[in-house]
Amino acid sequence: MNSQPGTQPDGASRPVIAVVAGPTATILNTPPMGADPAALIPQRLGEDGSIEVVDRSGHPIDEHLNSATDRALRKVAPARGQLVALPLPQGAGPASQSFFPSAERLYEELDTLWTDEAGRTGALGRLARYRHFRAGPPAGYTFGETPEVLGVDYFPYGAWDSRAEPDIGTLMTITNKVQEIVGAAEVAGVQWLEGSPVIEETLYWLGLLIDTGKPIVGQVAQRLHRSIGSDGGQNLVDGVRYIVSEAWNLDGRGDAVGAVLVADGVVRTARGVYKVAGRPGGYAGGGPVATCTTRWPIRLEYRPLRRHTRDSAVRISALPREVRALDGAGGSRLVRVTDSRGRLAPEVLPVVDIVVYGRYGIAGACGCADLGVKDAVSHNVERHGLAGFVLEGIAPNGWASRAVESSLSVAVYSGFPVVWCGRGRPEDPVGRTPTPFVAGSNLSATKARMLLLACLLRFGAAPAAEDPNRPTAAEQRATAAYVQSLQEVFDTH
């Protein structure tokens, strides 16, 4: 875990914000260096310098007012170490990775080279001090004694051989790091940087698991840093403004809103926000709970009612040390969920598959049941002690075909809970589902998956029937009690 002093260490009165670089973060991505020799790239000066510029040439009106004979030359003296936008030196090769490995350089460039609407630099540094961390970052240090490995230590997107997706183990590592970061007394809040299409899942998860009264703000960009129309810089400033405003601290007890996404001048809840387009303004749902105009103080427009962070039933501190999992031999075993320090144990790796229902399947034509679900159940019985399914059925009630529903019923009585969701981005809740399924409220399938993963850590595996195709009355009652525990969480989170 890397950290760095604040951008302006003398401003001790400003709050400290933890900035965490996460996977595939476009906000930390840049256009390829060297593609155009004339491109101006921020570079650090090796020595103090002196550059002559045409006086009053910073604006075309001033430049027009001066005749060619009156144009004076003035010297500017950039200091050693300062970032200056210059062409790349002749013969310089392109960067090996387009992503920044963490956000230090991003914040420095924004504060040094960009101005706010009043023409002032330091828009971020005037608001807060920053500590920078990496948790599944989008770029890696691939040199030195312990080089980082693609797909293990860092996760970019791009060409086939240079992209990687984090797995459930990475999510556990991210969770432990963020919980550790917010536990520092000096940290006033967290900015979580991740790829715009998937941040809604991670951010919802952090809002469920992280035990804190401090704000967690998701930060994205739809366009690359340094590119035309880049939106990441303003999103970051708005995210910092939201944290330092303390608009989220309604009752003096800490964050009353939960994890949020701040983008395009809007604050949206992590539970409700969805990416719907790959452009600025491409998010919907989740509020807005607040807006971030530059003229007025930030204030909340409404307070979400769902449980989160410090009040979540599945926050880290509420998880048991051990839960019951299937052992692959018809019985059960205890698996460790948290360690002696209250962190998620590295060996607890729950699995939740999403079953997407579409009409006109093959089952009716050949008379077979849904083989995909059956195969997944068999695999989970053998390999995964904690597992479950989310059914993305029709909207809004989550129904599927009788064959799919029958196979998923067998899955539940095999020890793997099943949550029903409507397809797409549901607005109406599923309502009550038939036995033995959990109703996914108005969550999307991807977010219901995150909540079911958390429930597996809290409640363990469902009780398995001796014959999942024909559970006894007692076995059905045991499963119903387990499902009710999950339903209470899905109704309130």
Side-chain angles (χ1 to χ4, degrees), residues 213-232:
K214 301 172 183 178
I216 301 173
V217 175
Q219 305 272 215
V220 295
Q222 302 280 17
R223 295 172 179 163
L224 305 184
H225 175 58
R226 300 178 181 169
S227 68
I228 294 175
S230 174
D231 54 315

PDB file of all heavy atoms in Angstrom, residues 213-232:
ATOM      1  N   GLY A 213     -18.328   5.672   9.390  1.00  0.00           N
ATOM      2  CA  GLY A 213     -19.231   6.801   9.305  1.00  0.00           C
ATOM      3  C   GLY A 213     -18.698   7.875   8.390  1.00  0.00           C
ATOM      4  O   GLY A 213     -19.238   8.985   8.340  1.00  0.00           O
ATOM      5  N   LYS A 214     -17.638   7.552   7.642  1.00  0.00           N
ATOM      6  CA  LYS A 214     -17.031   8.508   6.724  1.00  0.00           C
ATOM      7  C   LYS A 214     -17.538   8.271   5.306  1.00  0.00           C
ATOM      8  O   LYS A 214     -17.866   7.144   4.945  1.00  0.00           O
ATOM      9  CB  LYS A 214     -15.501   8.357   6.767  1.00  0.00           C
ATOM     10  CG  LYS A 214     -14.908   8.582   8.153  1.00  0.00           C
ATOM     11  CD  LYS A 214     -13.433   8.241   8.206  1.00  0.00           C
ATOM     12  CE  LYS A 214     -12.883   8.399   9.612  1.00  0.00           C
ATOM     13  NZ  LYS A 214     -11.449   8.030   9.702  1.00  0.00           N
ATOM     14  N   PRO A 215     -17.583   9.305   4.479  1.00  0.00           N
ATOM     15  CA  PRO A 215     -18.111   9.140   3.125  1.00  0.00           C
ATOM     16  C   PRO A 215     -17.165   8.366   2.219  1.00  0.00           C
ATOM     17  O   PRO A 215     -15.945   8.524   2.284  1.00  0.00           O
ATOM     18  CB  PRO A 215     -18.275  10.584   2.632  1.00  0.00           C
ATOM     19  CG  PRO A 215     -17.267  11.359   3.419  1.00  0.00           C
ATOM     20  CD  PRO A 215     -17.203  10.698   4.764  1.00  0.00           C
ATOM     21  N   ILE A 216     -17.747   7.529   1.373  1.00  0.00           N
ATOM     22  CA  ILE A 216     -17.022   6.815   0.324  1.00  0.00           C
ATOM     23  C   ILE A 216     -17.569   7.305  -1.006  1.00  0.00           C
ATOM     24  O   ILE A 216     -18.757   7.135  -1.299  1.00  0.00           O
ATOM     25  CB  ILE A 216     -17.193   5.294   0.452  1.00  0.00           C
ATOM     26  CG1 ILE A 216     -16.680   4.800   1.808  1.00  0.00           C
ATOM     27  CG2 ILE A 216     -16.478   4.569  -0.680  1.00  0.00           C
ATOM     28  CD1 ILE A 216     -16.970   3.330   2.082  1.00  0.00           C
ATOM     29  N   VAL A 217     -16.705   7.916  -1.812  1.00  0.00           N
ATOM     30  CA  VAL A 217     -17.127   8.562  -3.051  1.00  0.00           C
ATOM     31  C   VAL A 217     -16.494   7.850  -4.237  1.00  0.00           C
ATOM     32  O   VAL A 217     -15.261   7.767  -4.331  1.00  0.00           O
ATOM     33  CB  VAL A 217     -16.733  10.049  -3.052  1.00  0.00           C
ATOM     34  CG1 VAL A 217     -17.058  10.690  -4.396  1.00  0.00           C
ATOM     35  CG2 VAL A 217     -17.436  10.784  -1.924  1.00  0.00           C
ATOM     36  N   GLY A 218     -17.310   7.341  -5.133  1.00  0.00           N
ATOM     37  CA  GLY A 218     -16.807   6.748  -6.362  1.00  0.00           C
ATOM     38  C   GLY A 218     -16.524   7.832  -7.382  1.00  0.00           C
ATOM     39  O   GLY A 218     -17.299   8.775  -7.534  1.00  0.00           O
ATOM     40  N   GLN A 219     -15.385   7.691  -8.096  1.00  0.00           N
ATOM     41  CA  GLN A 219     -14.953   8.698  -9.066  1.00  0.00           C
ATOM     42  C   GLN A 219     -14.606   8.024 -10.386  1.00  0.00           C
ATOM     43  O   GLN A 219     -13.889   7.022 -10.415  1.00  0.00           O
ATOM     44  CB  GLN A 219     -13.739   9.456  -8.534  1.00  0.00           C
ATOM     45  CG  GLN A 219     -13.961  10.072  -7.172  1.00  0.00           C
ATOM     46  CD  GLN A 219     -14.552  11.461  -7.205  1.00  0.00           C
ATOM     47  OE1 GLN A 219     -14.223  12.277  -6.386  1.00  0.00           O
ATOM     48  NE2 GLN A 219     -15.446  11.758  -8.126  1.00  0.00           N
ATOM     49  N   VAL A 220     -15.118   8.595 -11.478  1.00  0.00           N
ATOM     50  CA  VAL A 220     -14.957   7.992 -12.802  1.00  0.00           C
ATOM     51  C   VAL A 220     -14.646   9.081 -13.817  1.00  0.00           C
ATOM     52  O   VAL A 220     -14.744  10.275 -13.546  1.00  0.00           O
ATOM     53  CB  VAL A 220     -16.234   7.251 -13.241  1.00  0.00           C
ATOM     54  CG1 VAL A 220     -16.529   6.071 -12.340  1.00  0.00           C
ATOM     55  CG2 VAL A 220     -17.424   8.211 -13.278  1.00  0.00           C
ATOM     56  N   ALA A 221     -14.287   8.632 -15.004  1.00  0.00           N
ATOM     57  CA  ALA A 221     -14.200   9.496 -16.176  1.00  0.00           C
ATOM     58  C   ALA A 221     -14.666   8.686 -17.368  1.00  0.00           C
ATOM     59  O   ALA A 221     -14.371   7.494 -17.479  1.00  0.00           O
ATOM     60  CB  ALA A 221     -12.781  10.001 -16.396  1.00  0.00           C
ATOM     61  N   GLN A 222     -15.382   9.321 -18.261  1.00  0.00           N
ATOM     62  CA  GLN A 222     -15.798   8.657 -19.490  1.00  0.00           C
ATOM     63  C   GLN A 222     -14.771   8.879 -20.602  1.00  0.00           C
ATOM     64  O   GLN A 222     -14.814   8.189 -21.625  1.00  0.00           O
ATOM     65  CB  GLN A 222     -17.158   9.200 -19.950  1.00  0.00           C
ATOM     66  CG  GLN A 222     -18.270   9.045 -18.914  1.00  0.00           C
ATOM     67  CD  GLN A 222     -18.864   7.660 -18.886  1.00  0.00           C
ATOM     68  OE1 GLN A 222     -18.281   6.708 -19.394  1.00  0.00           O
ATOM     69  NE2 GLN A 222     -20.020   7.514 -18.275  1.00  0.00           N
ATOM     70  N   ARG A 223     -13.872   9.850 -20.407  1.00  0.00           N
ATOM     71  CA  ARG A 223     -12.867  10.154 -21.417  1.00  0.00           C
ATOM     72  C   ARG A 223     -11.497  10.192 -20.771  1.00  0.00           C
ATOM     73  O   ARG A 223     -11.353  10.526 -19.593  1.00  0.00           O
ATOM     74  CB  ARG A 223     -13.176  11.493 -22.099  1.00  0.00           C
ATOM     75  CG  ARG A 223     -14.466  11.447 -22.900  1.00  0.00           C
ATOM     76  CD  ARG A 223     -14.868  12.798 -23.417  1.00  0.00           C
ATOM     77  NE  ARG A 223     -16.103  12.706 -24.212  1.00  0.00           N
ATOM     78  CZ  ARG A 223     -16.867  13.743 -24.514  1.00  0.00           C
ATOM     79  NH1 ARG A 223     -16.545  14.959 -24.113  1.00  0.00           N
ATOM     80  NH2 ARG A 223     -17.960  13.571 -25.231  1.00  0.00           N
ATOM     81  N   LEU A 224     -10.471   9.870 -21.540  1.00  0.00           N
ATOM     82  CA  LEU A 224      -9.124   9.738 -21.017  1.00  0.00           C
ATOM     83  C   LEU A 224      -8.592  11.065 -20.508  1.00  0.00           C
ATOM     84  O   LEU A 224      -8.839  12.126 -21.076  1.00  0.00           O
ATOM     85  CB  LEU A 224      -8.177   9.216 -22.113  1.00  0.00           C
ATOM     86  CG  LEU A 224      -8.549   7.920 -22.826  1.00  0.00           C
ATOM     87  CD1 LEU A 224      -7.432   7.541 -23.796  1.00  0.00           C
ATOM     88  CD2 LEU A 224      -8.799   6.800 -21.837  1.00  0.00           C
ATOM     89  N   HIS A 225      -7.835  10.996 -19.425  1.00  0.00           N
ATOM     90  CA  HIS A 225      -7.100  12.158 -18.939  1.00  0.00           C
ATOM     91  C   HIS A 225      -6.160  12.653 -20.041  1.00  0.00           C
ATOM     92  O   HIS A 225      -5.566  11.856 -20.761  1.00  0.00           O
ATOM     93  CB  HIS A 225      -6.306  11.756 -17.697  1.00  0.00           C
ATOM     94  CG  HIS A 225      -5.407  12.825 -17.173  1.00  0.00           C
ATOM     95  ND1 HIS A 225      -5.870  14.057 -16.798  1.00  0.00           N
ATOM     96  CD2 HIS A 225      -4.062  12.840 -16.971  1.00  0.00           C
ATOM     97  CE1 HIS A 225      -4.848  14.795 -16.370  1.00  0.00           C
ATOM     98  NE2 HIS A 225      -3.754  14.079 -16.471  1.00  0.00           N
ATOM     99  N   ARG A 226      -6.060  13.969 -20.196  1.00  0.00           N
ATOM    100  CA  ARG A 226      -5.268  14.653 -21.213  1.00  0.00           C
ATOM    101  C   ARG A 226      -5.934  14.669 -22.590  1.00  0.00           C
ATOM    102  O   ARG A 226      -5.353  15.199 -23.538  1.00  0.00           O
ATOM    103  CB  ARG A 226      -3.859  14.063 -21.367  1.00  0.00           C
ATOM    104  CG  ARG A 226      -2.980  14.101 -20.128  1.00  0.00           C
ATOM    105  CD  ARG A 226      -1.658  13.428 -20.438  1.00  0.00           C
ATOM    106  NE  ARG A 226      -0.739  13.403 -19.294  1.00  0.00           N
ATOM    107  CZ  ARG A 226       0.383  12.682 -19.264  1.00  0.00           C
ATOM    108  NH1 ARG A 226       0.708  11.937 -20.316  1.00  0.00           N
ATOM    109  NH2 ARG A 226       1.156  12.712 -18.212  1.00  0.00           N
ATOM    110  N   SER A 227      -7.101  14.066 -22.746  1.00  0.00           N
ATOM    111  CA  SER A 227      -7.749  14.050 -24.055  1.00  0.00           C
ATOM    112  C   SER A 227      -8.783  15.170 -24.139  1.00  0.00           C
ATOM    113  O   SER A 227      -9.192  15.753 -23.117  1.00  0.00           O
ATOM    114  CB  SER A 227      -8.426  12.702 -24.301  1.00  0.00           C
ATOM    115  OG  SER A 227      -9.528  12.524 -23.428  1.00  0.00           O
ATOM    116  N   ILE A 228      -9.233  15.488 -25.362  1.00  0.00           N
ATOM    117  CA  ILE A 228     -10.236  16.526 -25.555  1.00  0.00           C
ATOM    118  C   ILE A 228     -11.521  16.148 -24.815  1.00  0.00           C
ATOM    119  O   ILE A 228     -12.025  15.046 -24.945  1.00  0.00           O
ATOM    120  CB  ILE A 228     -10.532  16.716 -27.056  1.00  0.00           C
ATOM    121  CG1 ILE A 228      -9.294  17.273 -27.775  1.00  0.00           C
ATOM    122  CG2 ILE A 228     -11.721  17.652 -27.264  1.00  0.00           C
ATOM    123  CD1 ILE A 228      -9.469  17.383 -29.272  1.00  0.00           C
ATOM    124  N   GLY A 229     -12.036  17.099 -24.032  1.00  0.00           N
ATOM    125  CA  GLY A 229     -13.292  16.868 -23.328  1.00  0.00           C
ATOM    126  C   GLY A 229     -13.171  15.990 -22.105  1.00  0.00           C
ATOM    127  O   GLY A 229     -14.191  15.511 -21.595  1.00  0.00           O
ATOM    128  N   SER A 230     -11.959  15.783 -21.604  1.00  0.00           N
ATOM    129  CA  SER A 230     -11.786  14.935 -20.423  1.00  0.00           C
ATOM    130  C   SER A 230     -12.624  15.458 -19.259  1.00  0.00           C
ATOM    131  O   SER A 230     -12.570  16.639 -18.915  1.00  0.00           O
ATOM    132  CB  SER A 230     -10.310  14.899 -20.025  1.00  0.00           C
ATOM    133  OG  SER A 230     -10.132  14.193 -18.819  1.00  0.00           O
ATOM    134  N   ASP A 231     -13.416  14.573 -18.664  1.00  0.00           N
ATOM    135  CA  ASP A 231     -14.337  14.969 -17.608  1.00  0.00           C
ATOM    136  C   ASP A 231     -13.872  14.592 -16.212  1.00  0.00           C
ATOM    137  O   ASP A 231     -14.487  14.985 -15.219  1.00  0.00           O
ATOM    138  CB  ASP A 231     -15.704  14.334 -17.858  1.00  0.00           C
ATOM    139  CG  ASP A 231     -15.623  12.815 -18.032  1.00  0.00           C
ATOM    140  OD1 ASP A 231     -14.727  12.354 -18.759  1.00  0.00           O
ATOM    141  OD2 ASP A 231     -16.446  12.094 -17.462  1.00  0.00           O
ATOM    142  N   GLY A 232     -12.765  13.844 -16.114  1.00  0.00           N
ATOM    143  CA  GLY A 232     -12.355  13.332 -14.817  1.00  0.00           C
ATOM    144  C   GLY A 232     -11.964  14.398 -13.822  1.00  0.00           C
ATOM    145  O   GLY A 232     -12.253  14.287 -12.626  1.00  0.00           O
TER     146      GLY A 232
END
